[in-house]
Amino acid sequence: MNWRRLLGFDRRSLIALALIAVPAAAVAKPSLLSWGWHGQFGRYDVYADVPPAPQLQAELARSSTLLGASPIDDRALRPTLYLTDGGWRWHLLALTNDRAFAVTRPMLGGTVVNRSDIASDTVFARGYRRTLSGVVAHETVHVLQRERLGLVGFARLPTWVKEGYADYVARESTLSDADVARLRAQGRDDPAIFYHDARLRVSDALTHGETVDQLLRSTS
Ligand SMILES: [Zn+2]
């Protein structure tokens, strides 16, 4: 009896299945991809292609300091970081978000970072640059928001709170106030303007006495 024929498999469909299943497994668990280096930096479990520059230690310590100023920080959290060179691993894992600085999804079990230069604490995306330490703090805030609110609560959180609070903790936006003023004067739109305004809105709410817990209970 030809079991393969009985099961409806032929060689081409087996190859097609492998081409889908292997990347799907990697997206579900990026550590399955072959990484050249794996180790611990402070609270972070780090995967990278090559041993990271020693500056990463201080940069992730800065991320932790930024997070430590937030009442939702959880020192016991051990987030996983996948540092890519912006190449195939990034595109495979970021999927449709490959224009972002980094991507954090529950399914990924961690944060995947776009091309970075660790020596200068820089991450690159869409012709923009941000600090790696700030981007890691921003992405870790999303993990903390998810821990705090659960998957459903996190999904319902208004985007301006989700992203505005992450940038508020990271103490930076992709665009400076001057960048935003210039883009507005030129009548140009950019998705980063929303993030910039969201950080200011969060900052304004907290300055006026709203607590982070109240902010995370916002419904609109
Ligand atoms: Zn974000």
Side-chain angles (χ1 to χ4, degrees):
M1 188 181 294
N2 186 331
W3 283 100
R4 279 196 309 182
R5 180 161 298 165
L6 190 69
L7 293 169
F9 286 134
D10 58 25
R11 200 162 146 254
R12 282 216 328 253
S13 56
L14 277 174
I15 291 170
L17 186 68
L19 286 174
I20 296 165
V22 172
V27 168
K29 194 163 174 51
S31 57
L32 289 177
L33 295 174
S34 65
W35 297 87
W37 187 89
H38 174 218
Q40 199 79 27
F41 275 95
R43 65 163 81 176
Y44 289 96
D45 196 27
V46 181
Y47 289 82
D49 288 331
V50 292
Q55 289 91 334
L56 188 62
Q57 185 84 42
E59 288 158 16
L60 295 183
R62 177 174 183 262
S63 311
S64 289
T65 303
L66 291 169
L67 291 160
S70 166
I72 66 167
D73 190 25
D74 173 4
R75 302 295 299 178
L77 189 75
R78 294 284 172 266
T80 304
L81 294 180
Y82 299 96
L83 301 179
T84 76
D85 60 1
W88 67 273
R89 282 192 183 87
W90 166 252
H91 292 286
L92 175 66
L93 298 171
L95 298 173
T96 54
N97 287 325
D98 63 351
R99 288 163 63 78
F101 285 97
V103 173
T104 302
R105 290 196 202 97
M107 219 178 108
L108 287 170
T111 293
V112 184
V113 181
N114 201 341
R115 182 171 69 89
S116 63
D117 175 39
I118 293 168
S120 64
D121 191 18
T122 310
V123 188
F124 306 91
R126 293 198 304 129
Y128 290 123
R129 50 181 64 203
R130 287 184 63 149
T131 65
L132 175 61
S133 49
V135 166
V136 168
H138 175 115
E139 297 299 323
T140 308
V141 168
H142 291 325
V143 179
L144 292 165
Q145 289 168 333
R146 214 170 54 221
E147 267 204 343
R148 190 84 156 192
L149 302 170
L151 274 180
V152 175
F154 179 69
R156 284 183 182 153
L157 190 63
T159 309
W160 73 268
V161 179
K162 193 180 291 179
E163 300 301 342
Y165 187 64
D167 271 353
Y168 175 83
V169 172
R171 297 190 194 173
E172 67 180 27
S173 296
T174 303
L175 300 176
S176 67
D177 294 348
D179 291 333
V180 172
R182 184 172 37 80
L183 287 169
R184 287 209 162 110
Q186 294 168 348
R188 284 166 58 194
D189 199 13
D190 187 300
I193 294 177
F194 173 85
Y195 279 63
H196 169 272
D197 292 351
R199 179 175 59 83
L200 294 188
R201 189 173 167 188
V202 163
S203 174
D204 195 51
L206 295 175
T207 305
H208 286 92
E210 201 165 326
T211 66
V212 172
D213 266 329
Q214 285 170 331
L215 197 62
L216 293 179
R217 284 200 295 271
S218 306
T219 53
S220 62

mmCIF file with all atom_site columns, all heavy atoms in Angstrom, residues 102 138-139 142 145 162-164 166-167 195, ligand 1:
data_model
loop_
_atom_site.group_PDB
_atom_site.id
_atom_site.type_symbol
_atom_site.label_atom_id
_atom_site.label_alt_id
_atom_site.label_comp_id
_atom_site.label_asym_id
_atom_site.label_entity_id
_atom_site.label_seq_id
_atom_site.pdbx_PDB_ins_code
_atom_site.Cartn_x
_atom_site.Cartn_y
_atom_site.Cartn_z
_atom_site.occupancy
_atom_site.B_iso_or_equiv
_atom_site.pdbx_formal_charge
_atom_site.auth_seq_id
_atom_site.auth_comp_id
_atom_site.auth_asym_id
_atom_site.auth_atom_id
_atom_site.pdbx_PDB_model_num
ATOM   1  N  N   . ALA A 1 102 ? 11.009 47.826 16.139 1.00 0.00 ? 102 ALA A N   1
ATOM   2  C  CA  . ALA A 1 102 ? 10.999 46.534 16.831 1.00 0.00 ? 102 ALA A CA  1
ATOM   3  C  C   . ALA A 1 102 ? 9.561  46.036 16.882 1.00 0.00 ? 102 ALA A C   1
ATOM   4  O  O   . ALA A 1 102 ? 8.618  46.817 16.714 1.00 0.00 ? 102 ALA A O   1
ATOM   5  C  CB  . ALA A 1 102 ? 11.560 46.677 18.237 1.00 0.00 ? 102 ALA A CB  1
ATOM   6  N  N   . HIS A 1 138 ? 10.606 50.849 25.462 1.00 0.00 ? 138 HIS A N   1
ATOM   7  C  CA  . HIS A 1 138 ? 9.281  50.986 24.840 1.00 0.00 ? 138 HIS A CA  1
ATOM   8  C  C   . HIS A 1 138 ? 8.627  49.603 24.668 1.00 0.00 ? 138 HIS A C   1
ATOM   9  O  O   . HIS A 1 138 ? 7.482  49.394 25.059 1.00 0.00 ? 138 HIS A O   1
ATOM   10 C  CB  . HIS A 1 138 ? 9.440  51.692 23.479 1.00 0.00 ? 138 HIS A CB  1
ATOM   11 C  CG  . HIS A 1 138 ? 8.185  51.788 22.670 1.00 0.00 ? 138 HIS A CG  1
ATOM   12 N  ND1 . HIS A 1 138 ? 7.585  52.999 22.368 1.00 0.00 ? 138 HIS A ND1 1
ATOM   13 C  CD2 . HIS A 1 138 ? 7.406  50.845 22.086 1.00 0.00 ? 138 HIS A CD2 1
ATOM   14 C  CE1 . HIS A 1 138 ? 6.496  52.785 21.648 1.00 0.00 ? 138 HIS A CE1 1
ATOM   15 N  NE2 . HIS A 1 138 ? 6.370  51.470 21.460 1.00 0.00 ? 138 HIS A NE2 1
ATOM   16 N  N   . GLU A 1 139 ? 9.380  48.678 24.089 1.00 0.00 ? 139 GLU A N   1
ATOM   17 C  CA  . GLU A 1 139 ? 8.811  47.350 23.811 1.00 0.00 ? 139 GLU A CA  1
ATOM   18 C  C   . GLU A 1 139 ? 8.524  46.580 25.100 1.00 0.00 ? 139 GLU A C   1
ATOM   19 O  O   . GLU A 1 139 ? 7.533  45.850 25.184 1.00 0.00 ? 139 GLU A O   1
ATOM   20 C  CB  . GLU A 1 139 ? 9.752  46.550 22.904 1.00 0.00 ? 139 GLU A CB  1
ATOM   21 C  CG  . GLU A 1 139 ? 9.963  47.156 21.524 1.00 0.00 ? 139 GLU A CG  1
ATOM   22 C  CD  . GLU A 1 139 ? 8.675  47.284 20.710 1.00 0.00 ? 139 GLU A CD  1
ATOM   23 O  OE1 . GLU A 1 139 ? 7.813  46.392 20.803 1.00 0.00 ? 139 GLU A OE1 1
ATOM   24 O  OE2 . GLU A 1 139 ? 8.523  48.300 19.985 1.00 0.00 ? 139 GLU A OE2 1
ATOM   25 N  N   . HIS A 1 142 ? 5.209  47.334 26.543 1.00 0.00 ? 142 HIS A N   1
ATOM   26 C  CA  . HIS A 1 142 ? 4.095  46.570 25.957 1.00 0.00 ? 142 HIS A CA  1
ATOM   27 C  C   . HIS A 1 142 ? 3.929  45.207 26.657 1.00 0.00 ? 142 HIS A C   1
ATOM   28 O  O   . HIS A 1 142 ? 2.822  44.746 26.880 1.00 0.00 ? 142 HIS A O   1
ATOM   29 C  CB  . HIS A 1 142 ? 4.290  46.376 24.456 1.00 0.00 ? 142 HIS A CB  1
ATOM   30 C  CG  . HIS A 1 142 ? 4.158  47.643 23.657 1.00 0.00 ? 142 HIS A CG  1
ATOM   31 N  ND1 . HIS A 1 142 ? 3.271  48.638 23.995 1.00 0.00 ? 142 HIS A ND1 1
ATOM   32 C  CD2 . HIS A 1 142 ? 4.799  48.075 22.541 1.00 0.00 ? 142 HIS A CD2 1
ATOM   33 C  CE1 . HIS A 1 142 ? 3.370  49.636 23.121 1.00 0.00 ? 142 HIS A CE1 1
ATOM   34 N  NE2 . HIS A 1 142 ? 4.291  49.318 22.234 1.00 0.00 ? 142 HIS A NE2 1
ATOM   35 N  N   . GLN A 1 145 ? 2.325  46.026 29.954 1.00 0.00 ? 145 GLN A N   1
ATOM   36 C  CA  . GLN A 1 145 ? 0.904  46.375 29.764 1.00 0.00 ? 145 GLN A CA  1
ATOM   37 C  C   . GLN A 1 145 ? 0.079  45.102 29.584 1.00 0.00 ? 145 GLN A C   1
ATOM   38 O  O   . GLN A 1 145 ? -1.007 44.963 30.136 1.00 0.00 ? 145 GLN A O   1
ATOM   39 C  CB  . GLN A 1 145 ? 0.736  47.278 28.520 1.00 0.00 ? 145 GLN A CB  1
ATOM   40 C  CG  . GLN A 1 145 ? 1.274  48.691 28.691 1.00 0.00 ? 145 GLN A CG  1
ATOM   41 C  CD  . GLN A 1 145 ? 1.354  49.448 27.366 1.00 0.00 ? 145 GLN A CD  1
ATOM   42 O  OE1 . GLN A 1 145 ? 1.499  48.859 26.298 1.00 0.00 ? 145 GLN A OE1 1
ATOM   43 N  NE2 . GLN A 1 145 ? 1.281  50.773 27.440 1.00 0.00 ? 145 GLN A NE2 1
ATOM   44 N  N   . LYS A 1 162 ? -1.515 53.007 24.678 1.00 0.00 ? 162 LYS A N   1
ATOM   45 C  CA  . LYS A 1 162 ? -0.542 51.918 24.494 1.00 0.00 ? 162 LYS A CA  1
ATOM   46 C  C   . LYS A 1 162 ? 0.818  52.484 24.042 1.00 0.00 ? 162 LYS A C   1
ATOM   47 O  O   . LYS A 1 162 ? 1.845  52.242 24.660 1.00 0.00 ? 162 LYS A O   1
ATOM   48 C  CB  . LYS A 1 162 ? -1.101 50.958 23.432 1.00 0.00 ? 162 LYS A CB  1
ATOM   49 C  CG  . LYS A 1 162 ? -0.403 49.634 23.327 1.00 0.00 ? 162 LYS A CG  1
ATOM   50 C  CD  . LYS A 1 162 ? -1.039 48.770 22.241 1.00 0.00 ? 162 LYS A CD  1
ATOM   51 C  CE  . LYS A 1 162 ? -2.432 48.298 22.592 1.00 0.00 ? 162 LYS A CE  1
ATOM   52 N  NZ  . LYS A 1 162 ? -3.070 47.483 21.539 1.00 0.00 ? 162 LYS A NZ  1
ATOM   53 N  N   . GLU A 1 163 ? 0.782  53.242 22.970 1.00 0.00 ? 163 GLU A N   1
ATOM   54 C  CA  . GLU A 1 163 ? 2.033  53.740 22.378 1.00 0.00 ? 163 GLU A CA  1
ATOM   55 C  C   . GLU A 1 163 ? 2.544  54.996 23.090 1.00 0.00 ? 163 GLU A C   1
ATOM   56 O  O   . GLU A 1 163 ? 3.751  55.167 23.264 1.00 0.00 ? 163 GLU A O   1
ATOM   57 C  CB  . GLU A 1 163 ? 1.836  54.020 20.877 1.00 0.00 ? 163 GLU A CB  1
ATOM   58 C  CG  . GLU A 1 163 ? 1.424  52.798 20.073 1.00 0.00 ? 163 GLU A CG  1
ATOM   59 C  CD  . GLU A 1 163 ? 2.425  51.654 20.152 1.00 0.00 ? 163 GLU A CD  1
ATOM   60 O  OE1 . GLU A 1 163 ? 3.599  51.883 20.537 1.00 0.00 ? 163 GLU A OE1 1
ATOM   61 O  OE2 . GLU A 1 163 ? 2.044  50.510 19.852 1.00 0.00 ? 163 GLU A OE2 1
ATOM   62 N  N   . GLY A 1 164 ? 1.617  55.854 23.491 1.00 0.00 ? 164 GLY A N   1
ATOM   63 C  CA  . GLY A 1 164 ? 2.022  57.081 24.171 1.00 0.00 ? 164 GLY A CA  1
ATOM   64 C  C   . GLY A 1 164 ? 2.711  56.779 25.488 1.00 0.00 ? 164 GLY A C   1
ATOM   65 O  O   . GLY A 1 164 ? 3.735  57.385 25.822 1.00 0.00 ? 164 GLY A O   1
ATOM   66 N  N   . ALA A 1 166 ? 4.255  53.948 26.277 1.00 0.00 ? 166 ALA A N   1
ATOM   67 C  CA  . ALA A 1 166 ? 5.533  53.267 25.992 1.00 0.00 ? 166 ALA A CA  1
ATOM   68 C  C   . ALA A 1 166 ? 6.620  54.303 25.664 1.00 0.00 ? 166 ALA A C   1
ATOM   69 O  O   . ALA A 1 166 ? 7.757  54.200 26.143 1.00 0.00 ? 166 ALA A O   1
ATOM   70 C  CB  . ALA A 1 166 ? 5.360  52.276 24.849 1.00 0.00 ? 166 ALA A CB  1
ATOM   71 N  N   . ASP A 1 167 ? 6.277  55.314 24.874 1.00 0.00 ? 167 ASP A N   1
ATOM   72 C  CA  . ASP A 1 167 ? 7.258  56.358 24.553 1.00 0.00 ? 167 ASP A CA  1
ATOM   73 C  C   . ASP A 1 167 ? 7.494  57.290 25.738 1.00 0.00 ? 167 ASP A C   1
ATOM   74 O  O   . ASP A 1 167 ? 8.577  57.843 25.895 1.00 0.00 ? 167 ASP A O   1
ATOM   75 C  CB  . ASP A 1 167 ? 6.811  57.168 23.323 1.00 0.00 ? 167 ASP A CB  1
ATOM   76 C  CG  . ASP A 1 167 ? 7.308  56.537 22.023 1.00 0.00 ? 167 ASP A CG  1
ATOM   77 O  OD1 . ASP A 1 167 ? 8.089  55.570 22.089 1.00 0.00 ? 167 ASP A OD1 1
ATOM   78 O  OD2 . ASP A 1 167 ? 6.916  57.020 20.939 1.00 0.00 ? 167 ASP A OD2 1
ATOM   79 N  N   . TYR A 1 195 ? 2.441  58.986 17.211 1.00 0.00 ? 195 TYR A N   1
ATOM   80 C  CA  . TYR A 1 195 ? 3.186  58.537 18.396 1.00 0.00 ? 195 TYR A CA  1
ATOM   81 C  C   . TYR A 1 195 ? 3.679  59.725 19.220 1.00 0.00 ? 195 TYR A C   1
ATOM   82 O  O   . TYR A 1 195 ? 3.626  59.719 20.445 1.00 0.00 ? 195 TYR A O   1
ATOM   83 C  CB  . TYR A 1 195 ? 4.395  57.685 17.967 1.00 0.00 ? 195 TYR A CB  1
ATOM   84 C  CG  . TYR A 1 195 ? 4.075  56.254 17.636 1.00 0.00 ? 195 TYR A CG  1
ATOM   85 C  CD1 . TYR A 1 195 ? 3.224  55.927 16.582 1.00 0.00 ? 195 TYR A CD1 1
ATOM   86 C  CD2 . TYR A 1 195 ? 4.652  55.215 18.359 1.00 0.00 ? 195 TYR A CD2 1
ATOM   87 C  CE1 . TYR A 1 195 ? 2.958  54.611 16.269 1.00 0.00 ? 195 TYR A CE1 1
ATOM   88 C  CE2 . TYR A 1 195 ? 4.384  53.880 18.049 1.00 0.00 ? 195 TYR A CE2 1
ATOM   89 C  CZ  . TYR A 1 195 ? 3.545  53.592 17.002 1.00 0.00 ? 195 TYR A CZ  1
ATOM   90 O  OH  . TYR A 1 195 ? 3.276  52.288 16.696 1.00 0.00 ? 195 TYR A OH  1
HETATM 91 ZN ZN  . ZN  B 2 .   ? 4.867  50.321 20.535 1.00 0.00 ? 1   ZN  B ZN  1
#
